[in-house]
């Protein structure tokens, strides 16, 4: 081999090493941003939002000894309704908080439902030092369901979960609820990462996706197999309404249909599906308020 070719090989090797190091650094930074806590001072509710503060103190009793979760406080709001039709627990998406669910709370209260809005762990004013993509969040959701059942014995309880909120409900061991509406919920964490990375860099995504996925057990001390909401969908026995955007590249229509099909213990019409035309990974209520409210209220009226 000539000296010229040796120099070229050394140059290629050096550039490859730099590219790998850069890729590792970027993926580590992105993963850190993905699971970083998202605290926010919510403050007092708006004047046109008649609610009271609601807070739940909880202790994680998980058997997973690799995670040490202290006593935590879950912050939220509670809206009562004179109609006493029952209650709806609203669960926001990742990096959001209870304020993103205000519009849903308002139309539900007008229709006679009591409403609970919470900040998931590591969001808003709830405790937590990192987002766990539904793992720790699911335990908080289960505790909230138990407490709401205790406060309102004999009343109906429904859950509306958006994205991370819906995944947290599915991954939980919550007491049975009477109906659930799940919007844009990822099927598996692997699929969620693949979709998001490929949406940004296309065919170059396999390696960056893999670099992100292998960090989950390292950063969160959670096996990726524990973050598969689709495996829990088959456990649902109550009426369930699946929603997603027809143009969503983060939680694709194929995924939403797969989640719908996985709900094998519930038969139509108690099992419904709505793929919203023109909607991506967005707030589906904000995208089509009239269509959303009409479908949700009809679903709740029919099954509760």
């Amino acid at each position: 081999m000539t000296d010229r070719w040796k120099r070229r090989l050394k140059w290629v090797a050096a550039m490859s090493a730099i590219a790998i190091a850069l890729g590792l650094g970027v993926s580590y930074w992105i993963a850190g941003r993905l699971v970083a806590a998202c605290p926010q001072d919510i403050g007092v509710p708006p004047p046109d939002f008649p609610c009271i503060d609601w807070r739940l103190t909880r202790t994680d009793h998980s058997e997973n000894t690799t995670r040490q979760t202290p006593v935590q406080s879950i912050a939220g709001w509670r809206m009562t309704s004179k109609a006493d039709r029952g209650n709806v627990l609203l669960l926001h998406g990742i990096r959001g908080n209870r304020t993103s669910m205000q519009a849903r709370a308002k139309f539900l209260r007008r229709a006679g439902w009591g409403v609970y809005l919470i900040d998931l762990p590591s969001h808003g004013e709830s405790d937590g030092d990192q987002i766990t993509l539904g793992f720790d969040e699911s335990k908080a959701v289960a505790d909230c369901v138990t407490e709401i059942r205790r406060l309102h014995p004999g009343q109906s309880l429904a859950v509306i979960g958006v994205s991370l909120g819906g995944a947290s409900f599915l991954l939980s061991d919550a007491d049975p609820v009477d109906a659930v509406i799940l919007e844009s919920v990822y099927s598996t964490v692997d699929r969620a990462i693949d979709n998001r990375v490929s949406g940004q860099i296309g065919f170059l995504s396999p390696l960056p996706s893999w670099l992100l996925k292998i960090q989950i057990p390292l950063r969160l001390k959670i096996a990726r197999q524990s973050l598969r909401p689709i495996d829990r969908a088959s456990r649902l026995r109550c009426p369930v309404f699946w929603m997603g955007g027809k143009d969503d590249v983060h939680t694709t229509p194929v995924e939403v249909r797969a989640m719908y099909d996985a709900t094998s213990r519930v038969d139509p019409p108690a099992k419904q599906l709505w793929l919203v035309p023109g909607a991506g990974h967005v707030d589906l209520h904000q995208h089509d308020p009239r269509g959303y409210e009409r479908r949700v209220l009809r679903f709740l009226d029919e099954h509760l």
Side-chain angles (χ1 to χ4, degrees), residues 137-156:
E137 294 85 352
S138 69
K139 297 171 179 57
V141 169
D143 287 348
C144 288
V145 168
T146 299
E147 180 64 7
I148 295 170
R149 286 291 200 194
R150 187 188 70 82
L151 293 172
H152 306 278
Q155 289 193 5
S156 297

Side-chain angles (χ1 to χ4, degrees), residues 195-232:
N195 288 346
R196 283 157 177 76
V197 176
S198 64
Q200 295 295 320
I201 59 177
F203 70 94
L204 298 173
S205 66
L207 179 58
S209 291
W210 177 77
L211 290 173
L212 286 174
K213 286 183 281 192
I214 63 173
Q215 292 184 61
I216 291 175
L218 300 175
R219 284 180 175 272
L220 303 180
K221 305 297 188 292
I222 298 168
R224 301 207 311 267
Q225 291 77 10
S226 300
L227 298 173
R228 294 178 53 88
I230 193 168
D231 294 343
R232 297 297 193 97

Side-chain angles (χ1 to χ4, degrees), residues 261-274:
D261 292 337
T263 319
S264 54
R265 299 186 182 185
V266 185
D267 296 322
K271 179 172 70 171
Q272 298 182 25
L273 172 67
W274 183 34

Side-chain angles (χ1 to χ4, degrees), residues 91-107:
L91 306 171
H92 61 79
I94 192 167
R95 311 201 76 76
N97 55 61
R98 76 192 95 147
T99 62
S100 64
M101 306 299 280
Q102 284 180 221
R104 289 172 176 81
K106 287 180 179 180
F107 85 77

Side-chain angles (χ1 to χ4, degrees), residues 158-174:
V159 171
I160 298 179
V162 176
S163 192
L164 174 65
S168 300
F169 172 78
L170 285 173
L171 293 171
S172 75
D173 293 317

Side-chain angles (χ1 to χ4, degrees), residues 4-303:
R4 181 180 179 185
W5 277 105
K6 288 181 179 179
R7 288 195 298 270
R8 286 185 177 180
L9 288 175
K10 288 181 180 179
W11 183 85
V12 170
M15 292 300 102
S16 298
I18 292 172
I20 292 172
L22 182 62
L24 288 170
V26 171
S27 67
Y28 187 83
W29 179 82
I30 292 174
R33 293 287 298 168
L34 179 65
V35 301
C38 190
Q40 186 174 353
D41 182 12
I42 304 301
V44 298
D48 63 341
F49 198 71
C51 66
I52 58 175
D53 286 334
W54 186 72
R55 189 171 290 270
L56 176 66
T57 300
R58 55 179 294 273
T59 303
D60 184 12
H61 301 291
S62 172
E63 296 178 359
N64 184 345
T65 57
T66 62
R67 292 188 58 78
Q68 300 297 325
T69 305
V71 174
Q72 290 186 330
S73 178
I74 301 301
W77 287 328
R78 173 183 174 184
M79 300 179 72
T80 58
S81 172
K82 294 179 180 179
D84 248 5
R85 300 188 64 185
N87 295 281
V88 182
L89 172 61
L90 301 181
L91 306 171
H92 61 79
I94 192 167
R95 311 201 76 76
N97 55 61
R98 76 192 95 147
T99 62
S100 64
M101 306 299 280
Q102 284 180 221
R104 289 172 176 81
K106 287 180 179 180
F107 85 77
L108 288 167
R109 184 176 184 272
R110 286 197 301 267
W113 298 94
V115 185
Y116 285 81
L117 308 85
I118 67 166
D119 297 333
L120 291 172
S122 301
H123 294 77
E125 293 178 340
S126 291
D127 294 339
D129 56 4
Q130 62 181 352
I131 299 168
T132 61
L133 309 179
F135 190 84
D136 285 346
E137 294 85 352
S138 69
K139 297 171 179 57
V141 169
D143 287 348
C144 288
V145 168
T146 299
E147 180 64 7
I148 295 170
R149 286 291 200 194
R150 187 188 70 82
L151 293 172
H152 306 278
Q155 289 193 5
S156 297
L157 175 60
V159 171
I160 298 179
V162 176
S163 192
L164 174 65
S168 300
F169 172 78
L170 285 173
L171 293 171
S172 75
D173 293 317
D175 294 337
V177 298
D178 300 295
V180 60
I181 298 168
L182 298 167
E183 307 176 28
S184 309
V185 177
Y186 75 83
S187 58
T188 72
V189 72
D190 285 4
R191 184 72 181 270
I193 290 173
D194 288 341
N195 288 346
R196 283 157 177 76
V197 176
S198 64
Q200 295 295 320
I201 59 177
F203 70 94
L204 298 173
S205 66
L207 179 58
S209 291
W210 177 77
L211 290 173
L212 286 174
K213 286 183 281 192
I214 63 173
Q215 292 184 61
I216 291 175
L218 300 175
R219 284 180 175 272
L220 303 180
K221 305 297 188 292
I222 298 168
R224 301 207 311 267
Q225 291 77 10
S226 300
L227 298 173
R228 294 178 53 88
I230 193 168
D231 294 343
R232 297 297 193 97
S234 62
R235 298 169 54 183
L236 289 176
R237 294 179 178 271
C238 66
V240 55
F241 192 172
W242 293 97
M243 296 184 187
K246 271 192 174 180
D247 298 333
D248 192 342
V249 297
H250 289 175
T251 303
T252 65
V254 172
E255 277 187 275
V256 180
R257 287 186 180 278
M259 299 285 268
Y260 172 86
D261 292 337
T263 319
S264 54
R265 299 186 182 185
V266 185
D267 296 322
K271 179 172 70 171
Q272 298 182 25
L273 172 67
W274 183 34
L275 295 175
V276 184
H281 200 73
V282 298
D283 185 323
L284 298 179
H285 176 234
Q286 189 177 42
H287 179 81
D288 182 3
R290 290 185 179 180
Y292 181 98
E293 293 177 15
R294 182 176 68 253
R295 286 170 171 82
V296 165
L297 293 178
R298 183 171 61 199
F299 176 78
L300 294 177
D301 286 342
E302 288 175 355
H303 300 294

